[in-house]
Amino acid sequence: MRLLEAGLGRGDLVIVVGERPGAALPDLLGTWLAGCIAHLTSSLAAGRGGEDGAELCPTVRDGEVSYVAASRLIGAVRAELRSRREHGTLPDDACYVAVTSGSTSTSRAILGSARSLLAFLEWESSTLEVGPADRIGAVTSGSFDVAYRELLLPLRSGAALVTPPSDLRGRDAVDWLIAENVTILHAVPSIAEAWLRRAGGRGARMPLRWTIFAGEPLRGSVTAAWRERCVEGARVCNLYGPSETTLARFCHVLTGLEDGNGILPVGHALPGTSVGIVDESGFALPPGSPGRIVIVTSDGSYGYVGTPGADPAAPMSRSMRYETSDLGVVDERNGGLTVLGRLDNRLKRNGVWVDTDAVANLVEGLYPETSCVVLVDRGPRGPRLAVFVAFALPIDAELVRREVLARLGPAHVPNSVVGVAEWPRLPSGKIDRLGLLRRHTGGGSPADPTAEAMVELGDVVTAVLGNRVHRNDSLIEKGLDAYGAELISEFVEGRFEIEFTAGAVLSARTLHGLDERIQAARPESGLPTDIQ
């Protein structure tokens, strides 16, 4: 009602803030009942701008409507939506705006379709046989569009939505899932892996019927470890689909025979969707040949909004042919799709294509308790192969290079091998791959561990708040809240091996203040070392 009283209605963009996973559901439903289009986020900072004269955007949180200065992107989106409403080209089921994660490029805004969203929820509810006995965990930040399937699947199926406490930490996540009897969970693979690592092998088994992985390549080693902590009969599926195509367009239900160390397939297309693999010139490739993944679907989004030069008079359609930036291959035997990685993460050396998955598998074999990401650094020194290894310090870089040379050949030998205590993450929960490359461009020179750790802290704070933060910026003014402070506190405790509460984060006020408080709390030898 407050949105209607404020004169808002069909086609108006409203920022819906849920500081904790699941908390935004009442405001989200109210926004849609008012006919508005929702931009779901976990922090006001995600849609807030700092420019003078920035347009004010309506925001709803806990039932209260307020206005904040919109970021340049959100301001452009609002302008286009208004113009499309005037031209009569705004689709009648346009219901949300999602902002891409920015894991590999500049963030862009996508206009979502209610019909496409409902089609996915119908498919998921039927495939997983979700019912009133199920309890669905809400663990995804509102800044990631996966939150829509967490929030809305219970409404579609009659299941319960289980939201975590505000002070839940990663090391307690497994215990929380057990205590709350969560039966269905959507998870990012690397986050699930971190939960297991922090929980150790202790305790009862998780009561999960289904775990739905998405957002990153899924390795068999992760699913094997995850299943060991779940009740007997627990099932796992691997989803794939860019935000542009609405939540997910492919699904592979694991049989248990796939558990290994390689990347698992994403399987077959959902109803109304098909896949093609094309070469660099756009010509179709046969099954078994790797190339660019092209998705054709009748249940996609309405594409990008708020882009310069957009024609508001042009009609919009949710039927789309979307050329992804992903490298994939269709299995010759069963027609299933496997995503091999990003096209911009391909590297050819001396006429040989580098198999980054093979490098990652080899490193994880050398260090079984680790997680590995292999990236191509296209910096000023030319393409270089960088291996990042999380959770095991120190790393013997020369051993890694020798083993790669002996087993995979000279084309696969990495230029740098970097050990990190934790993966830097985007607000979506995905590993921040660009952030990894930005911080580690030394090409073999040892890193200053204190400086490296503080750079990591700055990136984590930026990811939590959704805006780049400078050392003397007020974190509160940038949108830091109690939930964000807990996330930062958890990172600090794990990275610096000290006790550091959310209250300490809030009282530090700035990055500079955080730096001072962390240094004061550190023992002389308490900082893990990154090795290049």
Side-chain angles (χ1 to χ4, degrees):
M1 283 297 294
R2 288 188 172 91
L3 290 171
L4 296 175
E5 291 170 359
L8 299 169
R10 181 181 180 273
D12 287 316
L13 183 67
V14 175
I15 298 175
V16 179
V17 182
E19 294 172 350
R20 292 188 297 112
L25 182 57
D27 290 332
L28 178 65
L29 297 178
T31 298
W32 284 340
L33 285 172
C36 300
I37 297 172
H39 172 48
L40 184 60
T41 181
S42 60
S43 170
L44 277 175
R48 179 182 289 166
E51 302 90 351
D52 292 337
E55 179 182 2
L56 294 179
C57 182
T59 299
V60 59
R61 176 169 57 179
D62 298 330
E64 297 297 327
V65 178
S66 60
Y67 287 81
V68 298
S71 67
R72 186 173 294 133
L73 176 59
I74 294 300
V77 170
R78 294 194 73 223
E80 181 174 337
L81 294 178
R82 282 196 301 267
S83 186
R84 285 192 171 279
R85 183 173 57 191
E86 294 167 0
H87 282 86
T89 59
L90 183 65
D92 61 0
D93 72 328
C95 68
Y96 70 91
V97 166
V99 176
T100 59
S101 64
S103 58
T104 54
S105 62
T106 303
S107 295
R108 303 179 74 177
I110 299 162
L111 183 61
S113 157
R115 292 186 180 92
S116 296
L117 189 59
L118 288 172
F120 177 85
L121 293 170
E122 290 283 347
W123 170 85
E124 186 175 26
S125 179
S126 173
T127 300
L128 274 56
E129 298 181 332
V130 186
D134 282 305
R135 294 170 61 80
I136 301 173
V139 297
T140 304
S141 163
S143 302
F144 191 25
D145 56 350
V146 170
Y148 286 109
R149 59 178 178 245
E150 282 186 349
L151 295 175
L152 301 178
L153 183 59
L155 296 180
R156 165 61 185 80
S157 59
L161 179 67
V162 185
T163 60
S166 59
D167 59 351
L168 180 71
R169 302 189 176 212
R171 61 174 176 253
D172 301 320
V174 170
D175 289 339
W176 173 75
L177 292 170
I178 294 169
E180 292 294 337
N181 195 31
V182 173
T183 61
I184 295 176
L185 179 73
H186 300 87
V188 174
S190 62
I191 289 183
E193 185 179 23
W195 287 351
L196 290 180
R197 192 175 305 279
R198 292 172 180 173
R202 69 182 191 278
R205 291 173 175 255
M206 294 179 286
L208 294 167
R209 284 201 314 113
W210 281 99
T211 304
I212 303 96
F213 286 110
E216 294 173 342
L218 177 63
R219 293 182 178 275
S221 56
V222 174
T223 63
W226 186 257
R227 278 174 160 160
E228 286 182 3
R229 289 301 310 271
C230 293
V231 295
E232 186 175 352
R235 307 192 71 183
V236 173
C237 70
N238 191 21
L239 299 185
Y240 166 72
S243 297
E244 288 84 349
T245 60
T246 309
L247 297 184
R249 293 291 99 203
F250 294 83
C251 173
H252 174 64
V253 177
L254 276 65
T255 64
L257 301 177
E258 304 93 340
D259 294 345
N261 207 34
I263 292 178
L264 298 178
V266 296
H268 294 84
L270 272 60
T273 300
S274 61
V275 64
I277 304 294
V278 301
D279 63 16
E280 294 176 353
S281 301
F283 292 105
L285 293 171
S289 300
R292 182 189 296 271
I293 299 173
V294 178
I295 300 173
V296 178
T297 182
S298 58
D299 288 317
S301 70
Y302 288 111
Y304 300 119
V305 286
T307 55
D311 180 7
M316 307 183 86
S317 172
R318 64 191 182 101
S319 295
M320 62 171 11
R321 178 184 186 274
Y322 180 70
E323 294 190 0
T324 75
S325 298
D326 295 326
L327 176 70
V329 62
V330 171
D331 192 291
E332 295 176 275
R333 297 164 298 174
N334 60 31
L337 175 67
T338 297
V339 181
L340 302 175
R342 298 278 304 184
L343 284 167
D344 54 13
N345 202 43
R346 285 190 99 189
L347 179 62
K348 198 171 191 179
R349 285 173 159 177
N350 301 323
V352 177
W353 284 108
V354 174
D355 186 343
T356 55
D357 187 41
V359 176
N361 288 343
L362 191 155
V363 174
E364 290 181 353
L366 293 174
Y367 297 93
E369 298 301 317
T370 65
S371 177
C372 181
V373 170
V374 181
L375 300 176
V376 176
D377 180 5
R378 303 188 186 277
R381 291 175 295 176
R384 298 167 65 83
L385 195 65
V387 171
F388 298 92
V389 190
F391 312 123
L393 297 169
I395 298 295
D396 187 336
E398 288 309 312
L399 171 64
V400 171
R401 292 189 179 100
R402 287 197 304 270
E403 291 295 323
V404 170
L405 176 62
R407 301 188 198 184
L408 301 178
H412 290 72
V413 175
N415 298 97
S416 61
V417 180
V418 182
V420 296
E422 296 281 348
W423 293 126
R425 297 192 182 278
L426 297 163
S428 64
K430 296 180 183 180
I431 294 173
D432 184 358
R433 296 168 185 252
L434 280 182
L436 279 171
L437 290 175
R438 280 196 301 266
R439 288 200 305 275
H440 300 284
T441 57
S445 59
D448 172 3
T450 301
E452 287 292 337
M454 296 313 300
V455 170
E456 286 185 29
L457 175 62
D459 284 347
V460 168
V461 173
T462 294
V464 168
L465 299 182
N467 273 335
R468 174 57 62 184
V469 178
H470 301 288
R471 283 184 62 78
N472 293 313
D473 287 346
S474 167
L475 300 180
I476 302 297
E477 291 181 4
K478 286 286 186 177
L480 181 65
D481 50 38
Y483 181 67
E486 285 290 345
L487 296 177
I488 295 168
S489 164
E490 183 176 326
F491 168 81
V492 171
E493 291 190 339
R495 184 65 175 89
F496 296 89
E497 297 182 351
I498 58 175
E499 290 294 326
F500 204 84
T501 66
V505 174
L506 290 166
S507 63
R509 299 183 181 277
T510 64
L511 272 179
H512 179 70
L514 276 175
D515 189 349
E516 291 183 333
R517 286 174 178 263
I518 289 169
Q519 299 309 323
R522 284 180 57 226
E524 286 297 319
S525 60
L527 184 65
T529 302
D530 286 356
I531 297 177
Q532 284 201 356

